Amino acid sequence: MRAIVDFQELQEIAKPKVKRDLQIKSVDEQTVKLGVVFNVPLLGDKTIDLDIKVERIDGTDVLLKYDGGTGLNLIANGALELFSSIPFVSKAPENQLIIHLDKIESLRKTLERLELKSVKFDATSAIVECKYKV
């Protein structure tokens, strides 16, 4: 089974939560570039980009690796410490995050019936592939 979620839809879902404009672009089949738009006084709107790669899927856990260059990685590492109270996200070494999908209430029942096989990206969307559990 495949579910396709358009980047535009993801941006609209995320915008009210992060209170910033987001840009999502495909880099390759495993990686997206997430851009966050900031207004810089005297310079106007500037975008800070972070590449996010799906490293692997282990059951209901998705291991992501992020890279924005040394400076941005340090900022991202610090920011992630502030979000340590989010129950479905845990920080891993070497600029990695683990998303624990089974800890997201709205996904729990779905994951009892479906096994996540892959998350890939094309030019305009995320493609999630699942298999029914027997």
Side-chain angles (χ1 to χ4, degrees):
M1 170 194 309
R2 295 175 81 187
I4 299 173
V5 183
D6 188 73
F7 290 152
Q8 185 67 35
E9 185 176 350
L10 290 173
Q11 291 167 194
E12 290 170 11
I13 291 167
K15 186 176 180 176
K17 294 177 183 355
V18 297
K19 298 179 177 65
R20 300 223 180 261
D21 286 329
L22 297 177
Q23 300 169 351
I24 304 172
K25 299 175 187 169
S26 176
V27 174
D28 59 40
E29 192 174 70
Q30 294 177 294
T31 310
V32 290
K33 184 175 293 291
L34 177 65
V36 181
V37 179
F38 291 90
N39 185 282
V40 180
L42 303 175
L43 297 176
D45 289 344
K46 298 295 175 192
T47 304
I48 296 176
D49 293 321
L50 191 67
D51 286 350
I52 301 174
K53 180 178 183 179
V54 177
E55 289 283 305
R56 74 172 184 271
I57 296 170
D58 186 17
T60 59
D61 293 340
V62 180
L63 179 68
L64 303 174
K65 183 170 183 130
Y66 57 91
D67 184 23
T70 304
L72 191 54
N73 288 348
L74 288 171
I75 293 169
N77 285 333
L80 290 170
E81 295 301 323
L82 298 173
F83 297 112
S84 61
S85 63
I86 299 173
F88 59 87
V89 177
S90 59
K91 193 168 173 334
E94 299 179 22
N95 301 334
Q96 295 180 335
L97 292 175
I98 301 171
I99 309 298
H100 305 282
L101 298 176
D102 61 336
K103 293 185 180 179
I104 301 173
E105 186 65 37
S106 59
L107 291 178
R108 194 169 291 137
K109 286 196 182 266
T110 301
L111 292 170
E112 289 174 3
R113 295 190 172 132
L114 295 175
E115 176 185 356
L116 182 62
K117 299 304 282 179
S118 69
V119 177
K120 297 179 181 176
F121 308 103
D122 66 15
T124 61
S125 55
I127 302 158
V128 179
E129 295 182 352
C130 297
K131 180 175 120 176
Y132 278 105
K133 292 180 179 176
V134 181

